[in-house]
Structure formats: C-alpha cells, structure tokens
Amino acid sequence: MKKKLISILITVTMLTMCACGNSGGKSQDASQSQPDSKVTESESTKENAKDDAKEAESSANSSTTATDPSGAEISIPEEVNSIVVLSPALSEIITALDLGDKVVGYDSYSADIEGLPDSESITVFENITTPDMEQLTALNPDILLVTNETFYDQENPFQTLIDAGTCVICVPNRDNIAGIKSDIEFLASALGAAEAGAALLEDFDTQLNELADIAAKIPQEERKRVYFEIAPAPDMYSCGKDSYINEMLEWIGAENILADQSGWFTVSGETVVAANPDIIFTNVNYTDDPVQEILNRDGWADISAVSSKNVYSVDNNASSRPNHNIIKAMRQMAEILYPDYYTAE
C-alpha cells in the first residue's frame, strides 16, 4: 500500500578534453568548443532528473507532525488512501466526511453503518479492545483510528505498525460536546477533508443552537428531572456531570438526578428511588423489553416516572456514540420531555 521510490545513484564520468591554443592567442573554432557544450548539456539533464526523483520521493514520503486527541505525537501522511477504524463512533464521523471508500477494515459494531464498504468485501475486526494484530499488519493501512478502549492497559501496542509506516490516531471517548466538535475538526483536517468537516460542524452547531433556543423558553417550574439508565439491574449504570449525556439533558432543558456525582458509575436502586425522577430514559438494547423491566422493578412502583409510566427507550447508537449524531438522541428526548415546545421534523 505504501509507495516507496528507490533512489537511483547516477555516477557521471566526465572526460575533460584539453584543447591547446596557439601562442598567437587565437580562440578555438566552433568545432573545437562543441564537445564541451555537449558535456554541459548532459550534466544539466541528469542533474534535473535527479532533482525530480528526489522531489517525487519527498512528496511520496512527506508527512505532517501533529498531536492527536490523546496527546500523542503522530506523523500524518500527506496522502491517505487506506483507513482502518476500530470504533463505530469514529466510523460514523468517517462516513459523514465522505471517506467511507477509503476504509479497508472496521470493527464489527460498524458493520451496519451506511457509507462503509460491505462487510463481505472487507476485513472486519470482531474485538475492539484486542484486535487481531496479524490482520492489522497485513492490511498495513495509512491510518488506524482507535479510541482509548483499544489496548487501554498496554504501552505502545501499535509500535510495530507505526514502525511500518502506519499513522495511529487515538481519539479518546469524549465527555462533552465541545470535545466531540474538536475531534471532528481534527479528523477532518488530518484526513484531508477540511471542507466536509466544516460543513458537518456547521450543521451540528445549527441544530444544537435550535435546541438551546427552545430550551431557553421552558419555564423553570416545567423542567423535568431525569434518570438515564445505561445498564439495567442488577448492575445499573448511569452518569453524572462531566459526561456528554448529562450535557445533552441540560442542553434540552432537563435535569439529571445524578448531576451531583461525576463521570460514569454504577448506581443503586435506592438512590434512584430517593431521587424520584419525573422521567426515566434507557438506551439498553440487549434485553427483550428494557422499559417493561424498569416498570416491573421491585421497589420502584412509587417512583413518579414509573407510576405514571413515563419510561422510554432512547436510540442506543445515537446516545452511546459520542459524535455529531447525538443530536438525534437529543431531539428524541426533547420531544418526549416537552412535546409542547419541541416538534418532530
């Protein structure tokens, strides 16, 4: 996949012809000076060829040094022809930048993302956290995109690939909307799609501003308190401040009942009961009926959201992948929370 030019050393042997003038100081005639003229022309031609070869080699191997979102120093190739992406969130950004045709491998969670090559004609990695290094080495992509979930407990796991010429870009999962936008801008620039990235961010900002403008009109006394469930009982999982889901809720005019805690964490049933949310959202998609499971949960019958049956499923992909598509989950929740203010498109 890598184009490497082999430098050819051209050794030119010059035969110097010494023409003797007479003692009278007469100059050489045209026939005597012609051999020197031919040698000079040959030198120029060959030197130009060498310069052109060096310039072509420099262009093929040229790269830009940058710092990726994880803080690592990387060398980004000027020309990107092949990409492997091991994150569905990043895959959605790649397709939004119209770069899906450059993807030569992706994770199994990305298989259904529109804009990527068919899974039957491409290398699919079944494990994001520990991908098959032999497969990666065989593909030898120009760019490998990963998150902090891949080999998170190992030091320099991709050094062999880097030594072979692959640029490995790590984009840690973001905890806020500003970080999501920053990552989109970085990837668009790194992958030579700055114009598409600017258009994507402009559309994202426009929609965010629309939601914020509507949220500003919702009176404080009408604002709903929300519990957002990421994993069900018995090991319930949710989030507080310093998470993009918390910011999504606040952006549309809601209050996260766990905003007094930070990050992502397990939560007890007693905590939710005591907080008594008005609305419960769940993005669990691996149980038969996550909404009904919450409604039937022992000890939760007196929670306002449960007694009024205000428990709803939220699009898992849109709410669990930190990229521009969170706007879909935000609109979905906003229309459930405040139907009189937000209208479906």
Side-chain angles (χ1 to χ4, degrees):
M1 194 60 69
K2 296 290 183 300
K3 296 181 179 178
K4 295 184 178 179
L5 296 178
I6 301 176
S7 298
I8 302 175
L9 180 62
I10 303 175
T11 304
V12 181
T13 304
M14 303 294 295
L15 297 175
T16 306
M17 300 179 64
C18 298
C20 299
N22 60 27
S23 59
K26 292 181 181 179
S27 62
Q28 301 173 12
D29 61 22
S31 62
Q32 289 177 310
S33 62
Q34 189 173 5
D36 287 336
S37 175
K38 286 183 178 179
V39 169
T40 302
E41 182 179 345
S42 176
E43 272 187 312
S44 176
T45 300
K46 290 176 180 178
E47 287 300 321
N48 287 339
K50 288 167 68 177
D51 290 342
D52 290 344
K54 288 180 179 179
E55 184 177 348
E57 181 177 9
S58 175
S59 176
N61 295 328
S62 61
S63 61
T64 302
T65 300
T67 301
D68 76 7
S70 75
E73 186 174 289
I74 58 175
S75 294
I76 305 172
E78 292 293 335
E79 184 176 345
V80 177
N81 295 309
S82 58
I83 301 171
V84 171
V85 55
L86 300 180
S87 160
L90 299 181
S91 291
E92 289 182 349
I93 295 176
I94 294 302
T95 56
L97 296 175
D98 199 26
L99 297 173
D101 60 329
K102 294 182 181 292
V103 175
V104 296
Y106 52 71
D107 62 278
S108 58
Y109 296 100
S110 296
D112 295 329
I113 294 176
E114 186 176 354
L116 290 177
D118 188 275
S119 61
E120 294 182 357
S121 61
I122 205 165
T123 300
V124 177
F125 294 84
E126 296 298 330
N127 196 323
I128 290 179
T129 56
T130 55
D132 189 314
M133 292 302 294
E134 288 187 5
Q135 286 183 312
L136 282 173
T137 302
L139 288 173
N140 193 25
D142 294 323
I143 298 283
L144 170 62
L145 296 176
V146 298
T147 70
N148 50 323
E149 296 176 15
T150 303
F151 290 121
Y152 65 93
D153 59 349
Q154 295 185 29
E155 186 176 353
N156 298 328
F158 299 110
Q159 193 59 52
T160 301
L161 279 173
I162 295 171
D163 291 342
T166 293
C167 173
V168 179
I169 299 177
C170 181
V171 183
N173 290 324
R174 289 294 188 172
D175 290 328
N176 55 60
I177 293 173
I180 290 172
K181 292 196 287 186
S182 176
D183 290 343
I184 293 172
E185 183 178 17
F186 176 85
L187 289 174
S189 176
L191 300 174
E195 186 175 344
L200 178 61
L201 287 172
E202 182 179 6
D203 179 66
F204 188 35
D205 278 332
T206 297
Q207 295 191 66
L208 285 171
N209 290 335
E210 288 176 357
L211 294 179
D213 288 344
I214 296 173
K217 300 174 184 177
I218 302 172
Q220 192 61 41
E221 62 271 16
E222 293 184 31
R223 300 200 170 210
K224 303 294 177 62
R225 300 175 65 254
V226 175
Y227 166 58
F228 194 104
E229 186 163 283
I230 300 169
D235 301 311
M236 293 176 291
Y237 200 74
S238 189
C239 57
K241 62 184 177 180
D242 301 322
S243 68
Y244 69 88
I245 288 179
N246 181 78
E247 189 173 0
M248 289 163 62
L249 291 170
E250 292 181 344
W251 201 284
I252 59 177
E255 177 187 348
N256 179 5
I257 64 166
L258 301 174
D260 59 334
Q261 301 184 57
S262 182
W264 312 81
F265 45 81
T266 56
V267 59
S268 70
E270 291 78 10
T271 297
V272 179
V273 170
N276 193 28
D278 304 305
I279 300 280
I280 294 177
F281 289 125
T282 175
N283 69 355
V284 174
N285 65 348
Y286 52 88
T287 61
D288 291 337
D289 192 341
V291 168
Q292 194 60 45
E293 187 274 324
I294 291 174
L295 290 173
N296 295 341
R297 197 170 287 172
D298 289 343
W300 282 34
D302 292 332
I303 294 177
S304 294
V306 174
S307 61
S308 60
K309 290 185 169 44
N310 281 317
V311 180
Y312 305 91
S313 284
V314 176
D315 185 290
N316 177 272
N317 291 342
S319 60
S320 65
R321 299 174 179 176
N323 60 35
H324 55 288
N325 285 326
I326 63 170
I327 201 75
K328 299 176 183 177
M330 293 172 73
R331 286 191 180 279
Q332 183 183 6
M333 292 189 295
E335 290 164 10
I336 291 171
L337 287 163
Y338 309 109
D340 293 337
Y341 292 92
Y342 296 95
T343 55
E345 294 183 354

